[in-house]
Amino acid sequence: MYGKVRARLRALARRDAGMVTSEYAMGIIAAVAFAVLLYEVVTSGQVKTELQDIVKRALSART
């Protein structure tokens, strides 16, 4: 009985083996899209100015 169940589970696992690659590809595409969006936001005028001000204040702070 357990042999049949094990064989059935193996057959089901083999059938879904190709799905992993497409899921990774979609995850990579989403990550790249998010990175591009984040880059555009960070390099925009006001955000860039604010970040520069933060860095200037941090570098000129006295300890």
Side-chain angles (χ1 to χ4, degrees):
M1 176 170 172
Y2 290 114
K4 289 182 182 181
V5 172
R6 208 175 304 159
R8 178 77 176 138
L9 288 174
R10 251 187 271 138
L12 288 173
R14 276 191 225 124
R15 190 170 21 161
D16 291 338
M19 294 296 291
V20 175
T21 303
S22 63
E23 289 170 357
Y24 280 126
M26 292 304 293
I28 290 171
I29 291 170
V32 169
F34 181 72
V36 169
L37 178 67
L38 186 60
Y39 176 78
E40 291 295 323
V41 169
V42 170
T43 57
S44 68
Q46 185 166 352
V47 174
K48 191 174 183 178
T49 303
E50 292 292 329
L51 288 174
Q52 287 175 344
D53 289 343
I54 291 170
V55 170
K56 285 178 186 175
R57 279 185 282 155
L59 292 176
S60 64
R62 296 188 186 258
T63 55

